[in-house]
Amino acid sequence: MESVKVVIISEDTSIRVNLKKKLADKDIQIVGYADFKDESRLKIDGLFPDVVIVGVKVPIDPEVFSFVESMKFQSKGCAAVIATDDVTVDLVNYAARFGIRQVLPLDMKDNEFYSRVVQVNEYEKVIQAQLNIQKRVRSKVIAFFGCKGGTGKSVMATNLAVALSKRGSNVILLDMDLRFGDQNILLDLEPKDTIVELAQDPEGISIERVNAFSIMHSSGVVLLAAPKSPEYAEYIKPDHITKVIRSVRPYYEYVLVDLGSNFSDETIAALQECDEIMIVNNPDILSLKAAKSAVSILEQLGIKEKARLIMNKNVNSLIRMKDFESMLEIPFYASISADKMFNSSVNKGEPFVLRTSRTVAAKEFSSFIQRVIADKGE
Ligand SMILES: Nc1ncnc2c1ncn2[C@@H]1O[C@H](COP(=O)(O)OP(=O)(O)O)[C@@H](O)[C@H]1O
Ligand SMILES: [Mg+2]
């Protein structure tokens, strides 16, 4: 049997040393150490631990529990354990609410501590074996596409991603608008790496590498950013796109793909990999014309059945939804009114779903989110 991979999360050096000593010379591999900072989450994910041991002294900061909860270790097949100096029944019960499987005393004998960690791992693997098959099926890849810029594809992708993540789902946002991708601005992030660095990495494309080259937003959304400058787009080939989507698919419940307004080979590769394609339109003639070309190309590619119609920036327009639906022959999915909150949230780099808003557009957007969730059948 392979040795158990452990990550120790603690900000206390004496606890780190103590835990390291406890697990020394055993069939355990300490693959890394981390703290409770937001940026550590991606690092921990990339280490693929079987068990994380959270080493803390009482009273335990509530942030520790929310950190563990936000990591959603269970959905990644990883067990979370707390090692602390004062184990009480209350603490054990409280910890369980956050998905923590065991609370162990720091002064437990080394051998016993070790066997409890092994046990917890075995227990987790049994649960995972039952869940794993479902996990793959449950993954959904949704693209945002259209043949016209400025219709709202990116803003919809960002806000859907953040809303799903806040609800507890594992979400990755792939910015595959290779020339003009701006998800980093919409999320107010400054990624060090992008899809370009990933594509050039000699180790190739795998879930570990995608995670390593991505950045995490405070909502939990993982973003693989677009090239920093349009000329870098040429480094990305259709094969890179296919590999990125295939490698993340089994590990994220939602893979949202933001695309540019063109039918490049890379865009086509992404569309081929997706389960659903949200064609984002605005209620005007030019948009209708663009949507028509998009749908006819999808038809030629034999993937028209994945297309869904979204009417964004809606006003009481002369072009009615039904007309659009019948002209395009794709099913209507959602309609969102024009609203100032879109622009102000874009300018602030703060997704509007993070604020409570009671406008018509906010309500319509919630219905859209609910429909996405319902369609996935959770
Ligand atoms: N429902 C809406 N109401 C008002 N403005 C919107 C709406 N949806 C998007 N916008 C605005 O449209 C602009 C373009 O949106 P964006 O998502 O970048 O488009 P695309 O990705 O399709 O090029 C942004 O400034 C955004 O704030
Ligand atoms: Mg865009």
Side-chain angles (χ1 to χ4, degrees):
M1 209 175 120
E2 275 182 45
S3 58
V4 182
K5 286 198 220 155
V6 168
V7 168
I8 293 174
I9 314 178
S10 183
E11 278 171 1
D12 184 323
T13 315
S14 66
I15 296 183
R16 287 187 185 197
V17 172
N18 177 358
L19 290 171
K20 184 176 178 206
K21 198 171 92 343
K22 269 190 176 343
L23 300 172
D25 306 321
K26 309 244 176 1
D27 201 8
I28 275 191
Q29 197 193 343
I30 299 179
V31 289
Y33 296 87
D35 50 30
F36 298 104
K37 296 200 178 75
D38 268 352
E39 36 308 358
S40 301
R41 300 199 276 182
L42 214 52
K43 175 184 166 187
I44 303 170
D45 267 346
L47 293 167
F48 283 85
D50 299 306
V51 179
V52 290
I53 305 181
V54 179
V56 278
K57 291 205 172 129
V58 289
I60 302 174
D61 188 335
E63 297 275 310
V64 166
F65 294 105
S66 37
F67 182 87
V68 174
E69 189 174 40
S70 72
M71 290 287 306
K72 300 169 204 112
F73 288 120
Q74 295 136 304
S75 63
K76 297 166 192 158
C78 172
V81 171
I82 283 192
T84 188
D85 50 348
D86 187 16
V87 180
T88 60
V89 175
D90 280 351
L91 174 59
V92 174
N93 289 338
Y94 187 71
R97 281 201 245 153
F98 297 88
I100 295 162
R101 301 275 188 230
Q102 285 258 358
V103 181
L104 302 173
L106 274 166
D107 58 4
M108 191 179 237
K109 287 215 179 67
D110 295 1
N111 273 335
E112 195 184 339
F113 192 91
Y114 162 72
S115 36
R116 296 284 280 276
V117 171
V118 171
Q119 235 173 41
V120 138
N121 176 51
E122 281 165 5
Y123 172 63
E124 195 69 42
K125 293 292 170 288
V126 171
I127 301 177
Q128 284 307 314
Q130 293 159 355
L131 291 179
N132 251 346
I133 314 147
Q134 272 178 0
K135 214 158 98 183
R136 283 177 176 264
V137 179
R138 270 174 40 217
S139 165
K140 187 142 194 186
V141 185
I142 306 174
F144 287 80
F145 181 64
C147 279
K148 194 168 167 292
T151 56
K153 299 179 284 295
S154 300
V155 190
M156 293 199 66
T158 327
N159 282 280
L160 177 64
V162 170
L164 292 170
S165 178
K166 292 296 279 178
R167 245 191 104 256
S169 297
N170 270 337
V171 185
I172 189 164
L173 182 54
L174 305 174
D175 194 343
M176 290 181 166
D177 181 352
L178 299 175
R179 290 185 194 279
F180 304 111
D182 42 20
Q183 284 297 344
N184 58 315
I185 299 173
L186 296 175
L187 289 165
D188 193 22
L189 292 171
E190 281 183 36
K192 185 165 69 65
D193 296 312
T194 69
I195 189 168
V196 176
E197 287 72 24
L198 169 67
Q200 291 183 318
D201 190 75
E203 284 189 40
I205 294 171
S206 62
I207 178 68
E208 287 86 352
R209 302 318 291 156
V210 176
N211 280 343
F213 286 96
S214 298
I215 182 168
M216 192 183 268
H217 182 250
S218 55
S219 62
V221 170
V222 173
L223 169 70
L224 177 64
K228 286 186 182 155
S229 180
E231 65 270 22
Y232 297 148
E234 64 193 68
Y235 290 109
I236 310 297
K237 304 291 173 221
D239 188 43
H240 294 128
I241 299 287
T242 310
K243 281 190 181 145
V244 170
I245 300 179
R246 290 194 184 163
S247 61
V248 298
R249 190 188 261 280
Y251 296 94
Y252 287 91
E253 293 168 89
Y254 291 96
V255 178
L256 303 188
V257 186
D258 185 16
L259 293 168
S261 318
N262 59 66
F263 263 109
S264 66
D265 290 348
E266 293 73 32
T267 303
I268 293 172
L271 293 170
Q272 304 271 22
E273 289 300 312
C274 291
D275 302 320
E276 272 183 350
I277 304 167
M278 303 290 177
I279 309 268
V280 183
N281 301 278
N282 300 149
D284 60 68
I285 280 294
L286 293 180
S287 181
L288 174 64
K289 187 166 162 275
K292 267 189 134 157
S293 353
V295 172
S296 87
I297 296 174
L298 293 180
E299 193 162 20
Q300 287 166 39
L301 293 168
I303 51 175
K304 185 180 165 189
E305 79 287 351
K306 296 183 189 179
R308 311 280 178 268
L309 173 63
I310 294 199
M311 189 62 75
N312 188 29
K313 305 192 190 183
N314 215 359
V315 275
N316 289 329
S317 96
L318 294 172
I319 302 171
R320 286 178 309 123
M321 222 70 70
K322 280 268 164 262
D323 300 339
F324 252 75
E325 202 179 15
S326 59
M327 277 187 269
L328 296 172
E329 296 173 330
I330 56 171
F332 165 78
Y333 200 89
S335 153
I336 290 122
S337 301
D339 190 322
K340 301 195 283 296
M341 80 179 170
F342 280 79
N343 274 338
S344 58
S345 102
V346 167
N347 291 337
K348 277 190 249 156
E350 188 194 63
F352 61 79
V353 289
L354 293 174
R355 289 176 175 249
T356 336
S357 174
R358 300 194 199 294
T359 64
V360 174
K363 283 192 194 128
E364 289 164 337
F365 201 82
S366 309
S367 313
F368 166 61
I369 298 165
Q370 292 310 323
R371 176 149 192 199
V372 170
I373 295 166
D375 280 1
K376 188 153 164 296
E378 279 180 21

